[in-house]
Amino acid sequence: MADVKLLHSGKVRDVYLDGDDLILVASDRISVYDVVLPTPIPDKGAVLTRLSLWWFEQLADIVPNHVVSATDVPAEFAGRAIRCRRLDMVQVECIARGYLTGLGLTEYRRDGAVSGITLPPGLVEASRLDEPIFTPTTKAAVGEHDEFVTFDDVVAQVGKDLAEELRDLTLRIYARGRDIAAERGIIVADTKLEFGQAPDGTLILADEVLTPDSSRFWPLSEWTPGRAQHSFDKQSVRDWSRSTGWDKTAPGPEVPPDVVERTRSRYVEVYERLTGLTF
Ligand code: ATP
Ligand code: MG
């Protein structure tokens, strides 16, 4: 094991400290309904790492990013790790939504609004919003759920200038991602971004970006508002796990080889369609 120190192990990724840098390592673990399944999906970590790297480049004219190197990483993580600048992270999860689903839909049904933004009546599961909205959440401690906060809450937390910058960047990044994906038949329903600050205060895009783990991707050809959408990447595992009668609590069931293979090819397909590259 290289001389790096494990700082944090998330559901899917591990974070190591190496001098002043972080090494973000994407594993092949997959979570469904927030439970990590015991069976890995081969190449998932590599696909998500390459996809993030590709997006960082596509977005470089909008925002600087934390990438230092994709190759200067410990050999055992090669291909699925990114060396990045360790930043002072802004303690807000910056979410953009172009479609209504998940917790956003729950919030809308209760309040008619998400993060304090009032939406028109009559919207349903997977409705497309006229304008994408910024629906920030707190960064929850382990085991707790993130909670929506309003834009004014973000202003109170980080100040007006930074709050506006976070909102504007989040919406510009979402719009760029949505447009590129739409050309390739993929809907980006929503996405979560994380920003950090350089010592001079400059905002820097960190974490992962526009991956299936940080975003909801739907096949455009199957989009039907009013029902739950098929997930571009996880649908096979979800359908299969339901068929087993699993109650969606940990531990999750072992995934059979044919479902693993179908899921692996979906991740590769997302990557290849979005980037136009061969995995
Ligand atoms: P989950 O499994 O729910 O995603 P998590 O978000 O705690 O849990 P990871 O996403 O695996 O786990 O962890 C990545 C961590 O690294 C996050 O806390 C993120 O804020 C942090 N991070 C990402 N990029 C940087 C950076 N450049 N500098 C400092 N911290 C960063
Ligand atoms: Mg995370």
Side-chain angles (χ1 to χ4, degrees):
M1 181 71 178
D3 186 22
V4 295
K5 178 172 166 253
L6 182 64
L7 274 189
H8 171 85
S9 189
K11 281 194 291 292
V12 170
R13 289 177 304 155
D14 301 313
V15 183
Y16 293 84
L17 186 62
D18 185 7
D20 290 338
D21 296 336
L22 291 183
I23 313 273
L24 284 186
V25 183
S27 72
D28 291 342
R29 298 190 288 272
I30 186 170
S31 71
V32 196
Y33 307 114
D34 266 346
V35 174
V36 178
L37 300 180
T39 322
I41 305 298
D43 294 326
K44 175 174 178 279
V47 169
L48 267 58
T49 296
R50 281 199 218 171
L51 188 57
S52 256
L53 288 166
W54 185 81
W55 279 120
F56 279 126
E57 273 175 35
Q58 306 306 305
L59 299 165
D61 62 316
I62 298 180
V63 62
N65 62 66
H66 70 163
V67 177
V68 173
S69 170
T71 50
D72 181 14
V73 298
E76 63 265 47
F77 307 142
R80 55 190 184 89
I82 301 176
R83 173 181 296 275
C84 43
R85 284 171 77 175
R86 187 182 195 186
L87 300 166
D88 184 13
M89 297 301 284
V90 178
Q91 297 302 310
V92 175
E93 308 241 332
C94 294
I95 300 171
R97 295 173 188 270
Y99 294 75
L100 199 57
T101 186
L103 289 177
L105 179 64
T106 308
E107 193 89 348
Y108 167 77
R109 285 183 172 149
R110 203 187 57 208
D111 302 340
V114 188
S115 279
I117 301 167
T118 302
L119 296 172
L123 299 179
V124 296
E125 168 80 63
S127 283
R128 185 178 199 278
L129 303 176
D130 290 338
E131 288 289 336
I133 54 174
F134 177 59
T135 62
T137 66
T138 54
K139 269 171 77 88
V142 175
E144 286 170 31
H145 280 289
D146 298 345
E147 281 184 32
F148 286 112
V149 291
T150 64
F151 181 70
D152 288 343
D153 293 329
V154 180
V155 170
Q157 187 183 331
V158 302
K160 185 162 176 286
D161 290 352
L162 186 54
E164 285 176 351
E165 211 184 335
L166 290 170
R167 179 188 59 196
D168 296 350
L169 277 176
T170 299
L171 292 173
R172 284 177 69 198
I173 291 167
Y174 172 75
R176 173 75 57 85
R178 173 201 59 195
D179 292 348
I180 290 178
E183 286 167 23
R184 283 106 195 217
I186 296 175
I187 288 177
V188 182
D190 49 36
T191 196
K192 185 211 68 174
L193 304 169
E194 291 190 37
F195 296 90
Q197 282 182 295
D200 71 357
T202 310
L203 271 184
I204 295 174
L205 184 58
D207 208 54
E208 60 184 327
V209 58
L210 288 159
T211 65
D213 278 359
S214 65
S215 320
R216 284 191 178 89
F217 290 163
W218 298 335
L220 179 59
S221 60
E222 292 169 38
W223 175 54
T224 315
R227 63 145 170 88
Q229 302 305 293
H230 290 158
S231 153
F232 203 101
D233 44 301
K234 287 184 181 168
Q235 201 60 35
S236 301
V237 210
R238 283 193 190 153
D239 290 347
W240 165 80
S241 75
R242 271 209 215 104
S243 75
T244 66
W246 173 48
D247 65 1
K248 302 183 186 173
T249 62
E254 289 277 356
V255 187
D258 59 317
V259 179
V260 169
E261 186 42 44
R262 268 208 302 283
T263 304
R264 181 193 170 277
S265 34
R266 284 305 261 184
Y267 279 99
V268 171
E269 188 185 345
V270 170
Y271 172 83
E272 294 191 336
R273 273 170 75 159
L274 288 173
T275 66
L277 302 167
T278 303
F279 176 68

